Amino acid sequence: MVDTHADAGWLRSAGLDRTDLDPADWDAFRATAHAALDGIIDYIAGIRDRPVWQPVPAAVRDEFRAPLPRDRANIDQVCAEFDRLVLPYATGNVHPRFMGWVHGGGNAAGMIGEMLAAGLNANLGGRDHAPIVLERQVIGWMAEAFGLPQSTGGLLVTGTSIANLIAVLIARAAHAGAAVRRDGVAAHRLTAYTSAAAHGCIPSAMDISGLGTAALRMIPTDSNGRIELQALTDSIEQDRTHGCTPFLIVGTAGTVDIGAIDDLAGLATICRREGLWFHVDGAFGALAALSPSLRPLVTGLEHADSVGFDFHKWGQVPYDAGCILVRKPHLAEQAFASPAAYLRHEARGLAGGAPWPCDFGPDLSRGFRALKVWFTLKTWGADRIGEVIARTCHLAGYLADRVDAEPMLERMAPVALNIVCFRYRFPKDADRENAELVADLQESGIAAPSATTIGGRLAIRAALVNHRTQAEDVDALVDAVLTLGERRCVGL
Ligand SMILES: Cc1ncc(COP(=O)(O)O)c(C=O)c1O
């Protein structure tokens, strides 16, 4: 039991007078911290000389099975363990030849933001302090970039999966009324619409929000991977005829498989006509708005009721950094605010600054993600990020040309943005062999694309996202695919 009468003497005799976690010797800590920073800077600066990825060896996995450390250790030893056990076996997305999934490369300015945020240890759930003011500035910048009104609100979140979930919940309450939070959705037959090429987190958001995945209509796409508008309107009409209540359309700016961008202006028109919420999943594609040459591709984004997107993909901000923007923030408040005595908002003092970020989403405690975004945007400027984005699309065009010029390679989809899907022409078992070829490439350490299926056929998928990627890296990928593909053919 806790002794409530403890005095200084008692604490001392119990050995509890010095239990803070600050270093006993700040100078020694400073040297350790500087060395750790030097180490990670060396890692980034020398990334080209490393394999893109290497599997975690069994011996290293074993070391992670050590039990909870009960005693203290020297922090230099902990740093050395990080260098030995973690650093060599990371995902590899800092590397210019990482081309799998849609992973951003991070950037050194953003890393400083992340480091300072850890030291500041701010909680952005609420209250009145500069970190929240800064986050609101970032939200305002993105509203400006996307052509949304300055009154737009939003939050930085872990990623677009959560941003999309938040959007579905806001749209649900906007349509069914705030009482849906108490009564549930049983009385409403709400239906939502997105394309068959939408990311899996959209059905997942329907599931988590209690609406059910069966209430999501996956509308077919055209040959360019864009949602079919006529099929969409037909589906809405049919649902109304059957007594359902359409409430939401989710358009995609940059589909996960091939980077297709829906006709956002067309979707906005349908939403306006039908009285539906218009959400855009712009996980990576929305930031095309930062590039003057790509901006027209996302025309219509400015009409969205909400936009989910990631800074940690094309925005090159270190993980994790997603964002949800909401045109009418009071609707987010309606969907999430839960007054509690211990969270009293006041007119002045530290408890001022209402509404608080916790009123707009499900998180109460929130870290200072906005700082690494702010550092990135201020250091490089939005135009430079736009140039990086445009260049990855040019590189994708270059890769597509190289694929098209190689008789042993076959392109599997049009290139809308920065994703190229192709495969090796194996004489048999092409799906299995191409999947193995992707693993061969990853294990070679030369390049790390991922795999997907296009029209039921397995494709090697190269998403060019990293700002460090050059034409020579694209060449290295193609050369490695040809060499390793030929090697596989020998065994067939
Ligand atoms: C179109 C799309 N939506 C949503 C997501 C999920 O984003 P996150 O991984 O940041 O949650 C992705 C991820 O690649 C995506 O491509």
Side-chain angles (χ1 to χ4, degrees), residues 190-221:
L190 297 175
T191 48
Y193 306 80
T194 195
S195 95
H199 193 269
C201 65
I202 307 296
S204 171
M206 294 291 286
D207 160 9
I208 297 168
S209 60
L211 292 156
T213 53
L216 179 66
R217 312 290 184 240
M218 308 292 286
I219 308 298
T221 54

Side-chain angles (χ1 to χ4, degrees), residues 297-311:
L297 295 175
V298 291
T299 298
L301 191 57
E302 67 278 12
H303 299 305
D305 292 303
S306 53
V307 182
F309 68 99
D310 283 322
F311 290 107

Side-chain angles (χ1 to χ4, degrees), residues 36 78 154 229-230 240 260 281 433 453 462 467:
V78 181
L229 297 188
Q230 189 54 52
R240 288 205 199 280
D281 173 358
E433 290 300 328
T453 346
H467 59 100

Side-chain angles (χ1 to χ4, degrees), residues 102 159-161 164 199 201 252 254-256 281 283-284 310 312-313:
V102 184
T160 300
S161 301
N164 289 340
H199 193 269
C201 65
T252 305
T255 56
V256 62
D281 173 358
F284 77 97
D310 283 322
H312 57 218
K313 293 187 166 79

Side-chain angles (χ1 to χ4, degrees), residues 64-125:
F64 283 112
R65 294 196 180 97
L68 175 69
R70 289 278 170 190
D71 296 326
R72 61 173 73 180
N74 184 310
I75 192 168
D76 290 312
Q77 283 170 18
V78 181
C79 289
E81 280 197 35
F82 169 81
D83 288 346
R84 192 168 55 81
L85 302 178
V86 181
L87 198 74
Y89 311 112
T91 330
N93 52 314
V94 173
H95 200 290
R97 290 194 300 278
F98 186 97
M99 300 166 186
W101 302 274
V102 184
H103 280 34
N107 79 99
M111 182 185 78
I112 292 187
E114 181 79 321
M115 189 178 71
L116 297 181
L120 199 58
N121 194 27
N123 182 342
L124 277 79

